Amino acid sequence: MSWQLTGVALNSRFLIGSSLYPSPHIMQGAIAESEAEVVTVSLRRQSPKQQGGDAFWQHIQGLERHILPNTASCYSAKDAVMTANMAREVFNTHWIKLEVLGDEYNLQPDPFALLEATKELIAQGFEVFPYATDDLVLAERLVNAGCNIVMPWGAPIGTGRGLMNPYALKILRARLPDTTLIIDAGLGSPSHAAQAMELGFDGVLLNTAVAEANDPVLMARAFRDGIRAGRNGFEAGVMQQRDLAKPSTPVLGTPFWHQDKNHRGNAS
């Protein structure tokens, strides 16, 4: 079923990255198999046509996907804003995945610089996709600043640990019902993606879990199917957990032919 991402109709809720793959050919195969319609790319501080970059962009453009540039490796609002403007010029898009990191150890976003850069970029006409932690107050500040999308992490970038704090993510979903929420970073297996979608998140963005798999193309397919399964589960309505067992076929009130023979013998 299609959905809207900032006014763009998409069929897939999978957003996929383009780095770390063993080869451009494998990257293309994985992205194609994922059926993702949005691909993130990192803009380095150089012209794409320098140092062999032109061949990479040709591979990306050949996929005919929506491009979501990011400000990876930026550690200040100033650098992030500058990189975003370079990306808009190169890719001719007002979309930007905003990363402003504050810690080199776990690549955690700097909430203060992230909010500062967000306000500046929105004022410049960007559609900001902010990479954030699962902090509710930060998410609310980003929405109040004009963000239509917030992308909380499941875990630190590249760790593959899955959803470290499902409770916080549930709170985000409940408190921001009209905001597009996309899990970004930290997922390692398709079951992690399914879990995120079952919580009601609108999409999943990931890179490392596919690119560093033994078979990236097959893993892209697995994540594709996991995301679909999780979304279907959310829309269907997952049953409530119970402390006590409940028989799936109760004896009382059922036709006699559904009851076991011992029960029918005692009744006679």
Side-chain angles (χ1 to χ4, degrees), residues 225-242:
D225 294 344
I227 291 167
R228 288 176 178 170
R231 182 65 189 183
N232 287 339
F234 170 74
E235 292 181 350
V238 178
M239 65 168 284
Q240 295 295 315
Q241 294 184 0
R242 304 184 180 94

Side-chain angles (χ1 to χ4, degrees), residues 217-260:
V217 176
L218 182 58
M219 186 60 77
R221 184 194 310 165
F223 269 101
R224 177 199 70 192
D225 294 344
I227 291 167
R228 288 176 178 170
R231 182 65 189 183
N232 287 339
F234 170 74
E235 292 181 350
V238 178
M239 65 168 284
Q240 295 295 315
Q241 294 184 0
R242 304 184 180 94
D243 292 329
L244 299 177
K246 179 181 179 182
S248 58
T249 307
V251 172
L252 295 179
T254 61
F256 71 90
W257 57 84
H258 284 184
Q259 300 177 24
D260 61 58

Side-chain angles (χ1 to χ4, degrees), residues 126-163:
F126 283 88
E127 187 72 64
V128 177
F129 294 60
Y131 163 61
T133 61
D134 52 23
D135 182 86
L136 174 62
V137 174
L138 174 59
E140 290 178 328
R141 296 287 176 85
L142 291 168
V143 171
N144 291 338
C147 287
N148 298 306
I149 301 156
V150 177
M151 303 203 300
W153 68 3
I157 294 174
T159 60
R161 301 185 66 86
L163 306 185

